[in-house]
Amino acid sequence: QAPLALALRSPPWARAGEPFEVHVCVSNATPQMRECEVVVTDAAGVLFSGERKGTLAVLPRSRKTTTYTLVATATASGITENT
């Protein structure tokens, strides 16, 4: 098991003009608190409003989730994470 792991959850598709949520979950398998920086970047076909950069403090052996609301400008599928 990795000391820190990231999981991205989003709908399998987005319809133009309709908001949808993307959930970013960071799991911490270590015995220490860890801070992780989450950065949201622009992508073609998606509008985003709000904090683009933030820090998640993840307690030992726990997980923390943050949620972003996005709006697709065109119908699309296959949202991915960049590492």
Side-chain angles (χ1 to χ4, degrees), residues 3-38:
L4 291 174
L6 177 122
L8 178 71
R9 277 188 337 191
S10 65
W13 53 269
R15 184 171 292 146
E18 292 185 7
F20 64 96
E21 291 185 338
V22 174
H23 307 277
V24 177
C25 179
V26 178
S27 299
N28 177 9
T30 73
Q32 294 88 26
M33 184 187 82
R34 299 289 185 193
E35 290 189 348
C36 299
E37 185 175 77
V38 177

Side-chain angles (χ1 to χ4, degrees), residues 1 8 10-11 21 25 36 39 46 49 56 58 64 66 70 76:
Q1 181 179 11
L8 178 71
S10 65
E21 291 185 338
C25 179
C36 299
V39 179
V46 178
S49 176
L56 289 178
V58 187
K64 182 103 179 221
T66 189
L70 309 172

Side-chain angles (χ1 to χ4, degrees), residues 56-77:
L56 289 178
V58 187
L59 295 175
R61 295 182 178 84
S62 67
R63 68 180 66 135
K64 182 103 179 221
T65 301
T66 189
T67 302
Y68 297 96
T69 301
L70 309 172
V71 177
T73 58
T75 300
S77 64

